[in-house]
Amino acid sequence: MPLQDRYGRTLRYLRLSVTDRCDLRCSYCMPKGFSGFEEPADWLTFDEIERLVGAFARLGVGRVRLTGGEPLLRRDLPVLAGRLAALSGVDDLSLSTNATQLDRHAAALRAAGVRRLNISLDTLRAERHAAIAGRDSHARVLAGIAAAEAAGFDPIKINMVVQGGVNDDEVEDMAAFCLDRGFILRLIETMPVGATGRASGQLELGPLRERLARRFDLVPAALELGGGPARYWQRRDGSGCVGFITPISQHFCASCNRVRLAVDGTLYLCLGQEEKFEFRPLLRGGADDAELEAAIRRAIELKPERHEFRERPDKIVRFMSQTGG
Protein backbone atom coordinates (compact mmCIF):
# COMPACT_ATOMS: atom_id res chain seq x y z
CA MET A 1 0.00 0.00 0.00
CA PRO A 2 1.46 3.43 -0.92
CA LEU A 3 2.75 5.62 1.87
CA GLN A 4 0.06 8.30 2.00
CA ASP A 5 -0.76 11.03 4.48
CA ARG A 6 -4.19 12.14 5.71
CA TYR A 7 -4.63 14.40 2.69
CA GLY A 8 -4.04 11.76 0.04
CA ARG A 9 -0.51 12.82 -0.83
CA THR A 10 1.87 9.97 -1.65
CA LEU A 11 5.26 10.28 0.02
CA ARG A 12 8.15 9.33 -2.27
CA TYR A 13 11.02 11.62 -1.23
CA LEU A 14 13.25 11.55 1.86
CA ARG A 15 15.70 14.35 2.58
CA LEU A 16 18.32 12.84 4.86
CA SER A 17 20.57 15.07 6.95
CA VAL A 18 23.85 13.36 7.80
CA THR A 19 25.20 16.25 9.90
CA ASP A 20 24.03 19.58 11.30
CA ARG A 21 27.57 20.98 11.03
CA CYS A 22 28.56 23.37 8.25
CA ASP A 23 31.78 25.13 7.32
CA LEU A 24 29.84 28.21 6.18
CA ARG A 25 27.47 30.53 8.02
CA CYS A 26 25.07 31.61 5.31
CA SER A 27 23.07 34.55 6.58
CA TYR A 28 19.65 32.94 6.04
CA CYS A 29 20.55 29.51 7.48
CA MET A 30 22.74 29.56 10.59
CA PRO A 31 23.74 32.52 12.79
CA LYS A 32 27.36 33.47 13.32
CA GLY A 33 28.70 32.02 16.53
CA PHE A 34 26.08 29.27 16.70
CA SER A 35 27.30 26.27 18.71
CA GLY A 36 24.14 24.33 19.58
CA PHE A 37 25.03 21.30 17.48
CA GLU A 38 23.93 17.73 18.14
CA GLU A 39 26.46 15.58 19.98
CA PRO A 40 28.04 12.94 17.71
CA ALA A 41 26.78 10.22 20.05
CA ASP A 42 23.26 11.28 19.10
CA TRP A 43 23.86 11.14 15.34
CA LEU A 44 22.38 8.16 13.60
CA THR A 45 25.13 5.74 12.67
CA PHE A 46 25.58 4.48 9.11
CA ASP A 47 24.00 1.17 10.14
CA GLU A 48 20.99 2.97 11.63
CA ILE A 49 20.62 5.19 8.59
CA GLU A 50 20.78 2.20 6.26
CA ARG A 51 18.10 0.35 8.25
CA LEU A 52 15.76 3.33 8.34
CA VAL A 53 16.21 4.30 4.70
CA GLY A 54 15.65 0.66 3.78
CA ALA A 55 12.34 0.74 5.64
CA PHE A 56 11.29 3.91 3.84
CA ALA A 57 12.29 2.35 0.50
CA ARG A 58 10.18 -0.75 1.15
CA LEU A 59 7.23 1.61 1.61
CA GLY A 60 7.79 3.27 -1.76
CA VAL A 61 10.09 6.16 -0.87
CA GLY A 62 12.59 5.74 -3.68
CA ARG A 63 14.11 9.22 -3.81
CA VAL A 64 16.74 10.01 -1.20
CA ARG A 65 18.71 13.24 -0.97
CA LEU A 66 21.75 13.56 1.31
CA THR A 67 21.80 16.94 3.04
CA GLY A 68 23.17 18.75 6.08
CA GLY A 69 24.40 21.17 7.34
CA GLU A 70 27.09 20.41 4.84
CA PRO A 71 26.92 16.65 4.19
CA LEU A 72 30.50 16.38 2.96
CA LEU A 73 31.69 17.15 6.48
CA ARG A 74 30.43 13.72 7.55
CA ARG A 75 33.41 11.39 7.46
CA ASP A 76 33.28 8.62 4.84
CA LEU A 77 30.11 9.97 3.23
CA PRO A 78 30.81 8.17 -0.09
CA VAL A 79 30.77 4.88 1.84
CA LEU A 80 27.29 5.66 3.17
CA ALA A 81 26.19 6.77 -0.29
CA GLY A 82 27.26 3.42 -1.73
CA ARG A 83 25.33 1.52 0.92
CA LEU A 84 22.17 3.54 0.30
CA ALA A 85 22.45 3.35 -3.49
CA ALA A 86 22.57 -0.46 -3.20
CA LEU A 87 19.31 -0.69 -1.24
CA SER A 88 16.38 -2.27 -3.03
CA GLY A 89 13.83 0.43 -3.82
CA VAL A 90 16.22 3.39 -3.76
CA ASP A 91 16.20 4.47 -7.39
CA ASP A 92 17.38 8.08 -7.11
CA LEU A 93 20.20 9.13 -4.77
CA SER A 94 21.24 12.78 -4.85
CA LEU A 95 23.21 15.28 -2.77
CA SER A 96 22.88 18.92 -1.75
CA THR A 97 26.16 20.67 -1.01
CA ASN A 98 27.82 24.05 -0.69
CA ALA A 99 30.66 22.53 -2.80
CA THR A 100 33.54 23.73 -0.60
CA GLN A 101 34.65 20.10 -0.19
CA LEU A 102 33.36 18.78 -3.49
CA ASP A 103 36.60 18.93 -5.43
CA ARG A 104 37.97 16.17 -3.15
CA HIS A 105 34.88 13.97 -3.17
CA ALA A 106 33.08 14.36 -6.51
CA ALA A 107 34.58 11.30 -8.20
CA ALA A 108 34.03 9.06 -5.17
CA LEU A 109 30.42 10.18 -4.82
CA ARG A 110 29.77 9.48 -8.48
CA ALA A 111 31.33 6.04 -8.19
CA ALA A 112 29.24 5.33 -5.08
CA GLY A 113 25.98 5.89 -6.91
CA VAL A 114 25.08 9.55 -6.36
CA ARG A 115 23.65 10.70 -9.68
CA ARG A 116 22.55 14.30 -9.20
CA LEU A 117 23.88 17.32 -7.34
CA ASN A 118 22.31 20.51 -6.05
CA ILE A 119 25.01 23.10 -5.39
CA SER A 120 24.37 26.28 -3.40
CA LEU A 121 25.74 29.39 -5.09
CA ASP A 122 24.07 32.66 -4.14
CA THR A 123 26.38 35.00 -6.02
CA LEU A 124 29.07 35.10 -8.71
CA ARG A 125 31.00 37.79 -6.84
CA ALA A 126 33.73 36.61 -4.47
CA GLU A 127 33.41 39.49 -2.00
CA ARG A 128 29.64 39.18 -1.87
CA HIS A 129 29.94 35.43 -1.40
CA ALA A 130 32.15 35.99 1.64
CA ALA A 131 29.59 38.42 3.07
CA ILE A 132 26.67 36.01 2.58
CA ALA A 133 28.47 32.80 3.55
CA GLY A 134 30.67 34.20 6.31
CA ARG A 135 33.81 32.80 4.70
CA ASP A 136 35.97 33.54 1.67
CA SER A 137 35.29 30.27 -0.14
CA HIS A 138 34.08 31.33 -3.58
CA ALA A 139 37.07 29.84 -5.40
CA ARG A 140 36.59 26.52 -3.58
CA VAL A 141 32.95 26.41 -4.64
CA LEU A 142 33.83 27.02 -8.29
CA ALA A 143 36.51 24.31 -8.06
CA GLY A 144 33.90 21.95 -6.65
CA ILE A 145 31.53 22.68 -9.53
CA ALA A 146 34.32 22.00 -12.02
CA ALA A 147 35.12 18.70 -10.27
CA ALA A 148 31.44 17.70 -10.44
CA GLU A 149 31.43 18.33 -14.20
CA ALA A 150 34.62 16.33 -14.62
CA ALA A 151 33.14 13.44 -12.62
CA GLY A 152 30.19 13.26 -15.03
CA PHE A 153 27.34 14.62 -12.90
CA ASP A 154 24.41 15.64 -15.08
CA PRO A 155 22.29 17.52 -14.43
CA ILE A 156 23.98 19.90 -12.01
CA LYS A 157 21.51 22.20 -10.33
CA ILE A 158 22.63 25.54 -8.94
CA ASN A 159 20.51 26.79 -6.04
CA MET A 160 20.39 30.56 -5.50
CA VAL A 161 18.51 31.91 -2.50
CA VAL A 162 17.36 35.32 -3.69
CA GLN A 163 17.46 38.08 -1.07
CA GLY A 164 16.16 41.56 -1.72
CA GLY A 165 18.89 44.16 -1.44
CA VAL A 166 21.55 41.46 -1.15
CA ASN A 167 21.88 39.54 -4.42
CA ASP A 168 18.69 40.13 -6.42
CA ASP A 169 20.60 42.49 -8.72
CA GLU A 170 22.60 39.60 -10.26
CA VAL A 171 19.86 37.07 -10.96
CA GLU A 172 20.18 37.67 -14.70
CA ASP A 173 23.96 37.20 -14.55
CA MET A 174 23.48 33.93 -12.66
CA ALA A 175 20.92 32.75 -15.22
CA ALA A 176 23.33 33.49 -18.07
CA PHE A 177 26.16 31.71 -16.22
CA CYS A 178 24.06 28.57 -15.75
CA LEU A 179 22.38 28.50 -19.15
CA ASP A 180 25.71 28.94 -20.93
CA ARG A 181 27.19 25.97 -19.06
CA GLY A 182 24.23 23.61 -19.18
CA PHE A 183 23.45 23.93 -15.48
CA ILE A 184 19.89 24.16 -14.17
CA LEU A 185 19.42 27.32 -12.12
CA ARG A 186 16.85 27.19 -9.32
CA LEU A 187 15.87 30.45 -7.69
CA ILE A 188 14.52 30.13 -4.15
CA GLU A 189 12.47 32.49 -2.03
CA THR A 190 13.89 32.97 1.47
CA MET A 191 11.81 31.15 4.08
CA PRO A 192 11.16 32.50 7.60
CA VAL A 193 12.76 29.49 9.30
CA GLY A 194 14.51 30.63 12.49
CA ALA A 195 15.64 34.15 13.28
CA THR A 196 18.18 34.02 10.46
CA GLY A 197 15.55 33.28 7.84
CA ARG A 198 13.23 36.01 9.11
CA ALA A 199 16.04 38.57 9.11
CA SER A 200 16.95 37.91 5.47
CA GLY A 201 15.73 40.12 2.64
CA GLN A 202 12.60 38.22 1.64
CA LEU A 203 11.57 38.73 -1.95
CA GLU A 204 8.80 37.22 -4.07
CA LEU A 205 10.07 35.80 -7.34
CA GLY A 206 7.17 36.63 -9.66
CA PRO A 207 8.60 39.91 -11.06
CA LEU A 208 12.05 38.33 -11.48
CA ARG A 209 10.54 35.40 -13.33
CA GLU A 210 8.86 37.73 -15.81
CA ARG A 211 12.11 39.64 -16.31
CA LEU A 212 14.08 36.46 -16.96
CA ALA A 213 11.39 35.18 -19.31
CA ARG A 214 11.74 38.29 -21.47
CA ARG A 215 15.52 38.29 -21.55
CA PHE A 216 16.07 34.56 -22.12
CA ASP A 217 12.87 33.74 -24.03
CA LEU A 218 11.57 31.39 -21.34
CA VAL A 219 8.18 29.70 -21.47
CA PRO A 220 6.46 27.50 -18.84
CA ALA A 221 7.62 23.90 -19.09
CA ALA A 222 5.98 20.68 -17.97
CA LEU A 223 9.24 19.35 -16.54
CA GLU A 224 9.70 17.14 -13.49
CA LEU A 225 13.36 17.13 -12.51
CA GLY A 226 14.14 15.19 -9.37
CA GLY A 227 10.78 15.22 -7.63
CA GLY A 228 11.28 18.56 -5.91
CA PRO A 229 9.02 21.62 -5.69
CA ALA A 230 10.51 23.77 -8.46
CA ARG A 231 8.30 25.04 -11.27
CA TYR A 232 10.38 25.18 -14.42
CA TRP A 233 10.50 27.62 -17.31
CA GLN A 234 12.37 26.51 -20.41
CA ARG A 235 14.04 28.35 -23.26
CA ARG A 236 11.76 28.27 -26.24
CA ASP A 237 14.43 26.46 -28.26
CA GLY A 238 14.82 23.84 -25.51
CA SER A 239 18.44 24.74 -24.76
CA GLY A 240 18.08 25.23 -21.00
CA CYS A 241 15.71 25.93 -18.13
CA VAL A 242 15.33 27.86 -14.88
CA GLY A 243 13.36 26.63 -11.86
CA PHE A 244 11.49 28.75 -9.34
CA ILE A 245 10.88 27.56 -5.78
CA THR A 246 8.22 29.81 -4.27
CA PRO A 247 7.14 28.67 -0.78
CA ILE A 248 5.97 32.19 0.07
CA SER A 249 4.31 33.61 -3.04
CA GLN A 250 2.98 30.38 -4.57
CA HIS A 251 3.25 27.50 -2.14
CA PHE A 252 3.27 23.88 -3.30
CA CYS A 253 1.89 22.20 -0.19
CA ALA A 254 -0.93 20.39 -2.02
CA SER A 255 1.61 18.30 -3.92
CA CYS A 256 4.25 17.95 -1.19
CA ASN A 257 5.80 14.48 -1.41
CA ARG A 258 8.71 14.83 1.01
CA VAL A 259 9.78 14.58 4.62
CA ARG A 260 13.07 15.45 6.32
CA LEU A 261 15.11 13.25 8.63
CA ALA A 262 17.53 15.15 10.89
CA VAL A 263 20.91 13.75 11.87
CA ASP A 264 19.59 12.71 15.31
CA GLY A 265 16.78 10.61 13.83
CA THR A 266 14.01 13.19 14.19
CA LEU A 267 11.62 13.14 11.25
CA TYR A 268 10.21 16.59 10.45
CA LEU A 269 6.97 16.43 8.51
CA CYS A 270 6.99 20.06 7.31
CA LEU A 271 9.54 22.88 7.24
CA GLY A 272 6.93 25.35 8.44
CA GLN A 273 5.31 23.31 11.21
CA GLU A 274 6.44 21.60 14.42
CA GLU A 275 5.12 18.05 13.86
CA LYS A 276 7.91 15.51 14.26
CA PHE A 277 8.59 11.86 15.10
CA GLU A 278 11.64 10.43 16.91
CA PHE A 279 13.16 7.32 15.32
CA ARG A 280 16.40 7.05 17.30
CA PRO A 281 14.73 5.47 20.36
CA LEU A 282 13.20 2.79 18.14
CA LEU A 283 16.46 2.09 16.33
CA ARG A 284 18.41 1.81 19.58
CA GLY A 285 15.63 0.02 21.43
CA GLY A 286 15.62 -3.12 19.31
CA ALA A 287 12.70 -2.42 16.98
CA ASP A 288 12.47 -4.92 14.13
CA ASP A 289 11.83 -3.99 10.50
CA ALA A 290 8.05 -4.43 10.78
CA GLU A 291 7.97 -2.10 13.77
CA LEU A 292 10.02 0.50 11.90
CA GLU A 293 7.68 0.38 8.93
CA ALA A 294 4.64 0.71 11.18
CA ALA A 295 6.27 3.69 12.91
CA ILE A 296 6.90 5.37 9.55
CA ARG A 297 3.22 5.03 8.69
CA ARG A 298 2.27 6.55 12.07
CA ALA A 299 4.70 9.39 11.52
CA ILE A 300 3.34 10.23 8.08
CA GLU A 301 -0.13 10.60 9.63
CA LEU A 302 1.28 13.64 11.47
CA LYS A 303 2.12 15.51 8.27
CA PRO A 304 0.18 18.80 8.27
CA GLU A 305 -1.80 20.08 5.32
CA ARG A 306 0.37 23.15 4.76
CA HIS A 307 2.85 25.57 6.26
CA GLU A 308 1.97 29.01 7.62
CA PHE A 309 4.90 31.09 6.41
CA ARG A 310 2.63 34.00 5.51
CA GLU A 311 0.23 33.76 8.41
CA ARG A 312 2.75 32.99 11.15
CA PRO A 313 6.26 33.85 9.93
CA ASP A 314 7.61 33.80 13.49
CA LYS A 315 6.40 30.26 14.27
CA ILE A 316 9.53 28.19 13.52
CA VAL A 317 12.41 28.97 15.88
CA ARG A 318 14.75 26.14 14.82
CA PHE A 319 17.32 27.04 12.17
CA MET A 320 17.28 25.51 8.70
CA SER A 321 20.49 23.61 9.41
CA GLN A 322 18.84 21.88 12.39
CA THR A 323 15.97 20.60 10.29
CA GLY A 324 18.02 19.36 7.35
CA GLY A 325 18.23 21.16 4.01
Side-chain angles (χ1 to χ4, degrees):
M1 187 171 68
L3 188 60
Q4 289 189 331
D5 66 12
R6 293 172 291 167
Y7 305 100
R9 296 171 296 195
T10 300
L11 280 295
R12 302 189 184 281
Y13 187 1
L14 176 66
R15 299 178 67 94
L16 169 65
S17 175
V18 296
T19 181
D20 57 348
R21 266 74 166 171
C22 190
D23 53 349
L24 303 182
R25 290 295 182 272
C26 293
S27 55
Y28 49 82
C29 184
M30 188 190 303
K32 293 179 180 179
F34 177 74
S35 59
F37 299 107
E38 293 290 336
E39 293 296 326
D42 292 333
W43 296 358
L44 294 189
T45 66
F46 283 8
D47 287 345
E48 291 167 339
I49 291 171
E50 184 178 3
R51 276 202 71 207
L52 191 52
V53 172
F56 271 98
R58 289 191 296 274
L59 295 174
V61 179
R63 285 178 165 149
V64 179
R65 174 170 294 277
L66 302 172
T67 72
E70 171 44 49
L72 292 179
L73 295 183
R74 182 77 182 252
R75 184 175 299 176
D76 295 327
L77 185 67
V79 174
L80 175 64
R83 291 171 64 170
L84 299 182
L87 287 172
S88 177
V90 173
D91 50 33
D92 181 50
L93 182 65
S94 56
L95 174 81
S96 291
T97 177
N98 64 28
T100 60
Q101 314 292 318
L102 189 56
D103 58 336
R104 298 188 293 115
H105 297 292
L109 290 167
R110 178 73 176 167
V114 176
R115 289 294 172 261
R116 296 182 298 106
L117 295 177
N118 285 10
I119 297 174
S120 296
L121 182 63
D122 293 327
T123 175
L124 296 172
R125 305 176 189 178
E127 291 183 5
R128 181 175 285 181
H129 184 273
I132 294 173
R135 178 185 170 194
D136 181 10
S137 56
H138 193 254
R140 288 292 306 275
V141 173
L142 295 181
I145 293 173
E149 287 187 279
F153 283 102
D154 183 31
I156 294 173
K157 297 178 182 176
I158 303 296
N159 287 352
M160 179 183 187
V161 177
V162 184
Q163 300 179 72
V166 176
N167 63 349
D168 57 312
D169 60 335
E170 60 175 308
V171 167
E172 291 178 64
D173 290 342
M174 185 69 79
F177 172 83
C178 292
L179 290 169
D180 288 348
R181 290 162 178 77
F183 304 149
I184 297 172
L185 173 64
R186 287 144 37 104
L187 303 173
I188 305 171
E189 290 177 345
T190 309
M191 289 172 276
V193 177
T196 50
R198 287 189 289 276
S200 299
Q202 294 184 5
L203 184 75
E204 296 188 0
L205 292 180
L208 286 176
R209 182 176 57 227
E210 297 305 318
R211 201 168 81 205
L212 291 175
R214 288 192 298 271
R215 174 168 172 183
F216 296 102
D217 196 22
L218 302 176
V219 295
L223 295 175
E224 197 279 332
L225 299 171
R231 296 179 174 98
Y232 288 96
W233 285 52
Q234 189 172 32
R235 273 183 161 171
R236 198 178 301 272
D237 64 5
S239 61
C241 64
V242 178
F244 300 86
I245 300 178
T246 54
I248 308 301
S249 64
Q250 189 182 11
H251 73 73
F252 32 82
C253 300
S255 59
C256 184
N257 63 350
R258 70 201 65 86
V259 289
R260 289 170 168 82
L261 185 70
V263 66
D264 66 347
T266 302
L267 189 73
Y268 290 98
L269 285 304
C270 175
L271 268 180
Q273 299 287 4
E274 297 288 3
E275 285 85 351
K276 61 185 179 181
F277 191 96
E278 306 285 348
F279 279 97
R280 192 178 71 223
L282 289 172
L283 289 162
R284 297 187 181 178
D288 62 23
D289 287 349
E291 289 171 315
L292 282 181
E293 291 174 25
I296 291 170
R297 291 194 182 277
R298 292 199 305 274
I300 297 306
E301 286 295 305
L302 301 175
K303 188 171 175 63
E305 185 175 14
R306 61 181 299 267
H307 63 65
E308 299 175 289
F309 285 150
R310 278 195 182 276
E311 299 87 344
R312 300 183 63 187
D314 58 345
K315 182 173 184 177
I316 302 302
V317 298
R318 66 182 184 269
F319 302 116
M320 183 71 79
S321 60
Q322 295 172 300
T323 306

